[in-house]
Amino acid sequence: MIDALEQYDPQIYELIRQEEARQSGCIRMIPSENYVSKAVMMASGSCLTNKYAEGYPGRRYYEGQHVTDLIEILAIERAKTIFRADHANVQPYSGSVANLAAYSALLEPGETLMGLSLDHGGHLTHGWKVSMTSRFFHSVPYPVDGKTGLLDYTMIEDLAKKHRPKVIVCGATAYPRIIDFEAFGRIAKQVGAYLVADIAHIAGLVVAGVHPSPVPHADLVTTTTHKTLRGPRGGLILCKAEHAKAVDRAVFPGLQGGPHMHTITGVAVAMAEANTPEFVVYAQQVVKNAKALADRLMEHGFELSTGGTDNHLILIDLRNKGLLGKPVAKALDRARIVANYNSIPNDPAPPMNPSGVRLGTPAMTTRGFKEAEAVQVADFINKVVQNLDNEAVIEKVGNEVLMLCSQFPVPEHFIIPQ
Ligand SMILES: *Cc1c(COP(=O)(O)O)cnc(C)c1O
């Protein structure tokens, strides 16, 4: 499909080819990124992009829906199956919109929302000050423990009792440990709040049973579809039957117009791929690789927030090395290791040049890296950090990275049993 583009728009074709080469010629360690299969690409690049389908299956505002209805029903059923949920809405354009829809299903403007502070690992849409979620709602952020970097459920419970939020949001973008959804559920019940669990990062781990599921404990579960779940960029909301109507109304017509049917089609394919023993093995390997990477980094004297990882990501605290995150992330990028600088809990440095670097294993695991390669990656990272001002060494590491990448070509196909 892409080859045909060369004829029609050679400029864009060339840029896509360049990006493809970049993605295969580097180690992609941004924990929210992954590689999707050709099947997902084909579905999300299909003629479904031509169709308007405002409404829901069986109750649309435009005609010509006999195929779109079948696709959306299939996507909904697959989502309900893999997450074991009563109800699924597959229309949110992204994780951010899924969160807005979740809040608008449960809250009136001005009511109180309690979410993990962004500088402690929460997402913008959990009520951070620059986000509309703190302008529409009264936002009470909770921190992680400043010393351990861990969620402190007693502190969260105390805050909840004090502020009596109507919604508690749990879930994170930079938290390397298991989240105790059961504890959050208990706290929410105690204070009469709804619990929203945002599993954008860990959805794939949850589906594979490598991280506990929030579905039994949360009123609503939101997620993206493109991180560990390995689908096209999009969002989902899962909920108990009692919230189904409110959720559907909040997404459409509350926030969105026509659903992106091409994306929903791609998400359906990705969810079939995720419902396989192969995907479980993948998710288990994601965690094994993160642990191997973490252990080796600590052997090299790196300090990690919370002292390690239980999931797909690692947060390096660079303070003991006397370094900041941005120059380290930039040097890693020159060595073909792509990560992002990130705040650590109680960071003394500003958010634009914080003390941490965030690393993730979902993409490298998709291309077949195992523990041995994860250890090699830790050694590369250490070498770069020890030679931040030595471009010759950084270039040499970059060449070794390229060699390693050439041994692990980006896979095109994942198995879907018929
Ligand atoms: C990535 C992420 C989102 C937002 O997803 P987008 O698709 O980028 O809008 C929301 N919540 C969490 C926890 C995330 O990590």
Side-chain angles (χ1 to χ4, degrees):
M1 233 151 61
I2 292 296
D3 288 332
L5 190 59
E6 186 170 18
Q7 237 182 306
Y8 303 112
D9 193 333
Q11 252 181 319
I12 286 292
Y13 170 80
E14 171 55 24
L15 291 171
I16 292 174
R17 281 287 180 234
Q18 279 179 29
E19 174 62 11
E20 198 175 54
R22 187 195 70 79
Q23 289 183 13
S24 80
C26 68
I27 302 174
R28 298 172 58 225
M29 302 195 73
I30 295 171
S32 46
E33 292 185 352
N34 215 326
Y35 297 97
V36 303
S37 67
K38 281 273 183 311
V40 167
M41 291 259 191
M42 284 189 274
S44 50
S46 69
C47 64
L48 269 300
T49 198
N50 296 333
K51 188 66 195 117
Y52 244 105
E54 280 185 0
Y56 290 101
R59 25 191 190 113
R60 307 274 194 194
Y61 290 81
Y62 299 96
E63 300 314 313
Q65 308 288 356
H66 48 285
V67 179
T68 44
D69 275 7
L70 294 175
I71 290 175
E72 188 167 346
I73 289 167
L74 204 51
I76 290 167
E77 288 309 317
R78 288 179 181 180
K80 283 161 62 177
T81 303
I82 65 172
F83 290 102
R84 298 167 204 266
D86 293 348
H87 179 75
N89 187 305
V90 298
Q91 293 195 2
Y93 300 145
S94 75
S96 300
V97 182
N99 282 345
L100 286 179
Y103 305 154
S104 68
L106 300 172
L107 289 171
E108 292 301 321
E111 290 186 321
T112 301
L113 168 79
M114 223 178 99
L116 180 59
S117 184
L118 176 113
D119 54 357
H120 284 229
H123 191 257
L124 279 166
T125 55
H126 296 180
W128 186 240
K129 51 199 170 196
V130 298
S131 157
M132 293 306 275
T133 54
S134 78
R135 294 182 57 191
F136 290 162
F137 308 111
H138 175 235
S139 168
V140 177
Y142 56 87
V144 291
D145 181 90
K147 271 220 179 69
T148 61
L150 296 170
L151 287 165
D152 176 345
Y153 297 93
T154 313
M155 187 212 306
I156 295 165
E157 183 180 334
D158 290 345
L159 264 180
K161 281 179 177 157
K162 182 168 164 211
H163 294 280
R164 295 272 152 186
K166 186 140 173 222
V167 164
I168 296 175
V169 196
C170 58
T173 76
Y175 188 70
R177 295 297 183 174
I178 298 285
I179 295 172
D180 187 346
F181 294 121
E182 200 179 340
F184 270 109
R186 249 193 333 263
I187 295 168
K189 268 213 184 71
Q190 261 186 50
V191 300
Y194 293 115
L195 181 65
V196 175
D198 176 355
I199 57 168
H201 263 259
I202 56 170
L205 307 184
V206 167
V207 165
V210 186
H211 188 293
S213 171
V215 169
H217 311 292
D219 293 283
L220 268 58
V221 176
T222 62
T223 184
T224 61
T225 50
H226 47 274
K227 298 181 183 178
T228 49
L229 193 56
R230 216 161 58 178
R233 318 193 72 76
L236 294 177
I237 304 177
L238 311 154
C239 66
K240 300 193 191 305
E242 65 197 89
H243 297 300
K245 264 210 174 109
V247 163
D248 285 353
R249 263 199 309 256
V251 174
F252 175 86
L255 273 169
Q256 296 191 166
H260 294 178
M261 284 310 306
H262 57 304
T263 301
I264 291 170
T265 309
V267 170
V269 174
M271 291 190 296
E273 291 174 350
N275 193 19
T276 58
E278 288 77 9
F279 188 82
V280 173
V281 171
Y282 162 71
Q284 288 167 341
Q285 191 65 46
V286 164
V287 175
K288 285 184 200 164
N289 286 353
K291 284 198 198 301
L293 182 74
D295 288 347
R296 186 64 159 196
L297 285 171
M298 289 190 287
E299 280 172 35
H300 284 306
F302 286 94
E303 278 183 5
L304 307 185
S305 180
T306 78
T309 180
D310 299 325
N311 61 18
H312 63 299
L313 75 82
I314 287 166
L315 195 55
I316 302 180
D317 178 346
L318 289 162
R319 285 178 301 176
N320 69 321
K321 303 255 179 196
L323 297 170
L324 288 168
K326 201 171 187 172
V328 169
K330 296 231 176 269
L332 288 173
D333 190 38
R334 294 200 296 283
R336 297 175 176 270
I337 296 170
V338 186
N340 67 276
Y341 57 85
N342 210 101
S343 291
I344 52 161
N346 286 349
D347 203 325
M352 274 317 292
N353 194 9
S355 305
V357 167
R358 191 179 65 148
L359 302 171
T361 54
M364 65 150 102
T365 306
T366 292
R367 72 188 300 167
F369 282 21
K370 296 220 161 56
E371 288 94 325
E373 289 75 34
V375 165
Q376 239 180 306
V377 172
D379 292 348
F380 290 148
I381 291 169
N382 183 47
K383 195 147 203 189
V384 170
V385 170
Q386 286 182 332
N387 292 278
L388 279 187
D389 300 322
N390 190 338
E391 281 312 311
V393 172
I394 290 176
E395 196 184 325
K396 192 162 161 278
V397 173
N399 289 334
E400 288 173 48
V401 167
L402 198 55
M403 287 260 288
L404 181 62
C405 287
S406 68
Q407 292 161 31
F408 292 87
V410 178
E412 303 205 328
H413 304 293
F414 308 129
I415 294 157
I416 306 179
Q418 294 309 310

